[in-house]
Amino acid sequence: MATKKLTEKQLYKAKVEWFQENEYEEVEPLDFYREIFPVGSFQEQGNTERKAGNGMLIYKNEEGHHWHQLIFDDLAEIPNWYGKEDVYIRSASFIGKNTKNENASMIHALVFDLDGQEIKELRMVMQFMRKGTNIPKATFVVLSGHGLHLYYVLEKPIRATMNNIRKLNKLKEGMTKLIWNRYTSNIEKIQFQYCLQGFRMVGSASKMGKRYPVRAYRFSDEHYTIEELVSWIPKLKEWDEYRIDMTERDTVPKDTAKKLWPEWYEYRINQGKSSKWSVKRDLYDWWKGKIIENATYGHRYFCLMCLAIFAIKCDVPEEELKRDALALVPILDKLSDDADPKSRFTEEDALCALHGYRDNFKTWGRDKLALVSAIPMPANKRNYRTRVEHLKGARALQEIYNPNWRNTEGRPSKEEQVKAWRLANPNGKKIECERELGLSRHTVLKWWDN
């Protein structure tokens, strides 16, 4: 006889009972956040002499708009939001009231979201961590309502430079692939979040209301270094990109860049112009069609965020983007669960997703866009050009900057191929260079800074 499927509320209560029966300690919200953000992590209210970042709480006001509330070092703001709906806290501190990446100050924890959690999947997650297989032991396991949030508190907070954010996002991508699998979730398509993502506040209401609060349970006393988390990434070639090195410097000093790429330095640094390729409008229209055909329930927000990024890449006016996004709302809302009013996709959700219409998102590449949207993108496209066309452009640039770039055998040396690619892609990444030129990681690293 088939087991009767539990409702969401019944499942929530069953999970709470499971944690209690297995003697996991429930942690009070203030104790939870104090361990993540020790005394001294944030600015002291009223103290203008001590300079530090602030904690950031995000909530919806009565009109349905998202607003930010600062959290000071005493964490006194947090109890004011117990039982409130749609409240999120980021595991990083920020300078000022804006949560842009460039305003981030320190990162205190890496957090992983796991949806598709029946009791069987919950038991498997805890078993994997308990036995030390597949998943490292989380510091805290948070029952967010429908799913789990795994918190890995860092031994020391990490400065949120753009370079560090990029590397931690890559590590999170790899670890999410480890954590989210057919044993730990009944949802096939993985949902990826990045290191500055906000998660429902412990003590606030879950999607089911204030009678079903977000709860935190201690799993271990572990606080991690990044190196310890990286050690969990499989030592296989296809996982190489996720084994980040926080000591590696990816940027070139400005004085060196001025000598290596004078033309680029003039328009990018002196003139402040964008270094992005001019991308055809066709790509934006193509992506609208992909959303209609391939969007899935857990990725609707990110599909529209990617539409905004394509709009900024393709110079599509913001007003047109808004009209297109709102026109897609009824289509995306059809993916909702009719039995769950909280699953509806609204115009407010769509407008919030359009924060991707900013210059700092222009550098998001195909791999990252495909990752967050869960919609595959053709590997043979280069800014909507074929690989042959793309490399023709790179070689044309090389002919301008160095007419004698070919070696005596008539074939460009690997050093010159990397140089040409970097000239054509000032903001490009090593992994993109490897893939497009067909070179090994070792070769690209060898000539990257020359």
Side-chain angles (χ1 to χ4, degrees):
M1 184 176 177
T3 304
K4 184 180 178 181
K5 186 176 177 62
L6 298 177
T7 66
E8 290 181 340
K9 293 178 180 179
Q10 289 172 337
L11 184 57
Y12 173 93
K13 291 179 179 178
K15 289 177 181 177
V16 172
E17 290 173 3
W18 187 91
F19 279 110
Q20 292 172 345
E21 290 169 0
N22 288 273
E23 299 183 347
Y24 285 100
E25 172 197 355
E26 185 170 359
V27 182
E28 291 297 316
L30 277 178
D31 294 334
F32 171 81
Y33 286 109
R34 178 51 76 200
E35 186 160 341
I36 296 172
F37 306 116
V39 173
S41 297
F42 299 150
Q43 178 74 29
E44 295 176 0
Q45 188 169 13
N47 184 353
T48 57
E49 295 182 1
R50 182 176 176 273
K51 302 298 179 184
N54 293 298
M56 197 66 71
L57 181 146
I58 301 97
Y59 67 97
K60 274 188 181 180
N61 64 7
E62 293 179 356
E63 291 76 34
H65 300 296
H66 284 92
W67 289 84
H68 298 127
Q69 178 69 42
L70 298 182
I71 301 174
F72 293 100
D73 203 48
D74 58 8
L75 306 184
E77 184 64 33
I78 289 176
N80 297 334
W81 298 89
Y82 290 170
K84 302 284 182 67
E85 295 185 353
D86 298 314
V87 182
Y88 304 84
I89 288 182
R90 301 184 183 230
S91 56
S93 60
F94 292 80
I95 302 297
K97 296 183 179 181
N98 199 305
T99 56
K100 292 181 180 179
N101 283 5
E102 52 265 37
N103 286 48
S105 176
M106 305 296 288
I107 298 169
H108 292 257
L110 294 186
V111 189
F112 298 85
D113 188 13
L114 257 178
D115 277 344
Q117 290 277 306
E118 302 287 337
I119 291 293
K120 179 179 71 173
E121 285 77 18
L122 169 62
R123 285 200 303 261
M124 289 305 296
V125 172
M126 306 301 274
Q127 179 177 308
F128 280 142
M129 291 196 295
R130 193 168 57 250
K131 293 185 175 181
T133 56
N134 299 78
I135 305 177
K137 295 178 180 179
T139 314
F140 299 107
V141 177
V142 171
L143 177 57
S144 61
H146 296 153
L148 299 179
H149 297 156
L150 305 184
Y151 277 75
Y152 294 85
V153 179
L154 298 178
E155 194 173 279
K156 293 181 179 179
I158 293 175
R159 189 163 297 282
T161 63
M162 297 305 289
N163 186 39
N164 285 346
I165 291 172
R166 186 166 57 250
K167 289 179 178 180
L168 291 177
N169 284 341
K170 183 56 67 175
L171 173 61
K172 273 208 71 179
E173 181 184 330
M175 288 189 63
T176 301
K177 288 183 176 181
L178 279 181
I179 293 169
W180 190 307
N181 56 59
R182 62 193 178 96
Y183 302 106
T184 61
S185 173
N186 56 32
I187 297 176
E188 183 179 350
K189 287 193 174 183
I190 301 175
Q191 297 168 16
F192 293 92
Q193 291 90 22
Y194 288 92
C195 63
L196 297 180
Q197 179 91 14
F199 291 87
R200 286 187 184 275
M201 188 191 93
V202 173
S204 71
S206 69
K207 281 186 177 181
M208 293 172 284
K210 63 182 181 181
R211 292 178 58 193
Y212 304 88
V214 179
R215 299 171 182 264
Y217 297 91
R218 179 176 296 283
F219 187 87
S220 75
D221 294 320
E222 298 283 350
H223 287 193
Y224 287 90
T225 65
I226 294 302
E227 291 73 22
E228 287 170 337
L229 293 175
V230 170
S231 70
W232 283 83
I233 300 295
K235 293 179 173 58
L236 300 170
K237 184 174 179 57
E238 57 266 33
W239 291 79
D240 283 351
E241 61 182 298
Y242 308 124
R243 280 197 295 277
I244 62 169
D245 181 358
M246 298 300 288
T247 65
E248 183 185 48
R249 182 181 177 87
D250 278 350
T251 55
V252 177
K254 281 188 177 181
D255 291 342
T256 305
K258 186 175 182 179
K259 294 176 184 176
L260 290 173
W261 310 297
E263 298 281 346
W264 172 85
Y265 190 89
E266 174 60 28
Y267 75 76
R268 187 70 182 96
I269 305 301
N270 291 343
Q271 298 180 27
K273 294 180 180 178
S274 170
S275 58
K276 77 179 181 76
W277 286 98
S278 178
V279 182
K280 290 182 180 179
R281 160 66 187 247
D282 301 14
L283 184 60
Y284 174 80
D285 294 326
W286 169 81
W287 183 250
K288 283 195 296 182
K290 296 297 284 185
I291 291 176
I292 295 171
E293 295 171 9
N294 302 110
T296 51
Y297 171 75
H299 302 86
R300 297 175 294 182
Y301 175 89
F302 287 107
C303 283
L304 288 189
M305 178 182 168
C306 291
L307 182 68
I309 294 172
F310 280 124
I312 199 75
K313 286 175 176 283
C314 300
D315 297 319
V316 173
E318 188 170 9
E319 284 305 311
E320 181 179 354
L321 167 66
K322 287 182 179 179
R323 289 197 301 271
D324 289 343
L326 293 176
L328 288 168
V329 168
I331 297 170
L332 296 173
D333 188 46
K334 287 180 180 178
L335 300 171
S336 304
D337 180 357
D338 291 336
D340 179 12
K342 293 286 186 178
S343 73
R344 305 307 296 268
F345 195 79
T346 66
E347 291 188 354
E348 175 62 25
D349 294 325
L351 294 175
C352 286
L354 301 190
H355 78 281
Y357 195 78
R358 296 204 302 254
D359 281 347
N360 57 303
F361 283 105
K362 288 178 181 178
T363 57
W364 274 42
R366 173 179 57 82
D367 290 347
K368 187 179 290 188
L369 293 166
L371 188 74
V372 300
S373 65
I375 296 178
M377 298 189 192
N380 65 334
K381 297 293 182 183
R382 299 295 183 272
N383 291 333
Y384 220 65
R385 295 188 296 267
T386 65
R387 182 170 184 255
V388 172
E389 291 170 337
H390 180 76
L391 291 179
K392 277 183 181 177
R395 287 165 185 151
L397 274 175
Q398 182 69 327
E399 292 287 353
I400 293 171
Y401 287 104
N402 185 5
N404 301 316
W405 66 291
R406 296 185 182 276
N407 64 15
T408 56
E409 297 173 357
R411 180 182 178 184
S413 69
K414 292 177 180 178
E415 177 184 5
E416 295 298 344
Q417 288 183 61
V418 175
K419 283 184 181 179
W421 192 90
R422 292 211 69 187
L423 286 168
N425 303 272
N427 291 329
K429 298 179 182 178
K430 298 182 182 73
I431 188 67
E432 296 167 345
C433 181
E434 293 169 36
R435 290 170 178 168
E436 292 183 18
L437 298 182
L439 299 177
S440 69
R441 178 72 168 177
H442 174 77
T443 300
V444 171
L445 288 174
K446 181 177 180 181
W447 300 117
W448 188 258
D449 291 324
N450 277 22

